[in-house]
Amino acid sequence: MTASPLPTDSFHGAWNLVYVAVRAFWALTEPRIHAAAQAKNIPIELYYYAEFGLEIFSVERFQKRDPYSNPALFTATFEKLAQAEWIIPQGGGVYRVTDDARAAARELVRAGDGALEQLEFMSAVDATRLVERLRHIVRANEMAPEPPAKWAILERFRAVAENAPRLAWVREALLDLFAYRDDSHRAAWQSFPADGLMWHTFNLVWDNVADTPSDMAQQASLRGYAVEDYVRACNQLTARGWLGRDERPGAFALTPIGRKLRGAVEQLTDAYFYLAWTNLHSSELDALLADLRQLRAHLETAALHDV
């Protein structure tokens, strides 16, 4: 297996621009989405699970996008959605998503898009141009050789309406890039002997989020793991030489081997993710990055003022 060529320094910061812009879009739209879900008695999970695809639900499929969360969380939610007939059991832990569920997910997304209608910092011409630039990369990602396997980018449910604000189409293209980054990162780290919980634990230490099992369980409570789960994962990572005991009692730190491995994974993730970007002319790349910087700044300002 031959990895894609490493990206040049020209792409430095491009993924961060995408990531920050997506989070700014969420800050603007998700309050309305949550309010609509509550008002219309729609499970909010239908909105979040759209990123896993709204055709078939199963733990096996969901772990292709999110191998980091406790599978028991998915199982419990599937049972709740099945009781309300949003999804239909097919046997063997597999569920078929109903048309009503897809319609409800669209309704929530479009409720959130109402926040984007009020934003006037980007003209229709500029927004359309940015969408096309982003879609050019998305199409190239879809046609790129594997690895990475293209699960997230192909399976995610796209709910944006034809008459939605142009910024909603920008967000949709950015979410496609977000999905491909997930595909790229998963392919990069899964070449090493670690499961989702181990890699999630490793990342918590790498990102300086938490370095003890008790802090991990608290800081990453949405992942659904208990302290003892993190104790087991830390012990496994220590046995592999990726983590070691820190000076503080109960704390862990990356070893030199762990840092080298994590750096290699980031390089490989970038190599997969940026392959399509290498086909851009330098002037096209400069224009795209400038557009993304401007978008990020305007979105962050809008979110700060709660437009």
Side-chain angles (χ1 to χ4, degrees), residues 212-268:
T212 68
S214 59
D215 284 347
M216 292 171 183
Q218 181 177 5
Q219 294 296 324
S221 59
L222 291 178
R223 295 295 184 186
Y225 287 111
V227 173
E228 53 267 29
D229 295 317
Y230 288 108
V231 169
R232 184 176 67 256
C234 285
N235 289 336
Q236 291 173 320
L237 291 165
T238 300
R240 295 196 183 281
W242 300 0
L243 292 184
R245 293 285 183 175
D246 197 21
E247 296 178 354
R248 294 188 302 108
F252 292 83
L254 265 67
T255 64
I257 292 175
R259 292 187 182 278
K260 186 175 181 179
L261 182 148
R262 190 61 175 78
V265 167
E266 284 303 299
Q267 283 191 321
L268 188 54

Side-chain angles (χ1 to χ4, degrees), residues 19 24 98 168:
Y19 177 75
T98 64

Side-chain angles (χ1 to χ4, degrees), residues 32-233:
R32 290 185 178 225
I33 289 170
H34 279 263
Q38 185 174 11
K40 299 175 182 296
N41 197 28
I42 297 173
I44 193 62
E45 290 87 355
L46 293 178
Y47 161 70
Y48 288 112
Y49 286 1
E51 289 299 313
F52 299 88
L54 293 182
E55 293 292 336
I56 299 294
F57 283 1
S58 73
V59 170
E60 180 182 5
R61 284 178 59 83
F62 274 36
Q63 287 190 309
K64 293 181 182 295
R65 182 73 190 264
D66 179 10
Y68 316 108
S69 297
N70 191 334
L73 294 179
F74 298 140
T75 300
T77 303
F78 294 164
E79 292 174 354
K80 181 183 72 172
L81 293 174
Q83 288 179 354
E85 298 184 343
W86 292 104
I87 60 177
I88 307 300
Q90 304 295 291
V94 176
Y95 298 82
R96 176 177 57 81
V97 182
T98 64
D99 290 339
D100 286 345
R102 284 186 286 273
R106 290 190 188 95
E107 189 172 359
L108 294 182
V109 170
R110 292 168 187 177
D113 286 347
L116 305 181
E117 294 176 349
Q118 304 175 33
L119 302 180
E120 299 178 349
F121 59 76
M122 182 176 285
S123 69
V125 172
D126 289 343
T128 299
R129 184 188 62 216
L130 177 55
V131 169
E132 287 307 311
R133 286 173 172 166
L134 295 171
R135 283 178 173 173
H136 175 76
I137 298 175
V138 170
R139 288 191 294 267
N141 287 339
E142 293 172 345
M143 298 174 62
E146 295 188 4
K150 302 173 186 66
W151 196 89
I153 191 175
L154 296 181
E155 293 293 330
R156 60 177 302 267
F157 181 72
R158 295 163 177 83
V160 63
E162 286 295 330
N163 62 347
R166 295 307 298 175
L167 281 174
W169 287 98
V170 172
R171 180 206 58 223
E172 202 66 22
L174 290 173
L175 285 173
D176 280 334
L177 293 180
F178 201 107
Y180 194 66
R181 182 73 181 192
D182 279 357
D183 284 337
S184 299
H185 187 62
R186 192 179 65 253
W189 72 258
Q190 286 186 338
S191 60
F192 294 93
D195 59 20
L197 172 59
M198 289 173 63
W199 193 256
H200 160 58
T201 303
F202 190 50
N203 273 342
L204 290 175
V205 180
W206 166 269
D207 291 331
N208 295 315
V209 173
D211 59 5
T212 68
S214 59
D215 284 347
M216 292 171 183
Q218 181 177 5
Q219 294 296 324
S221 59
L222 291 178
R223 295 295 184 186
Y225 287 111
V227 173
E228 53 267 29
D229 295 317
Y230 288 108
V231 169
R232 184 176 67 256

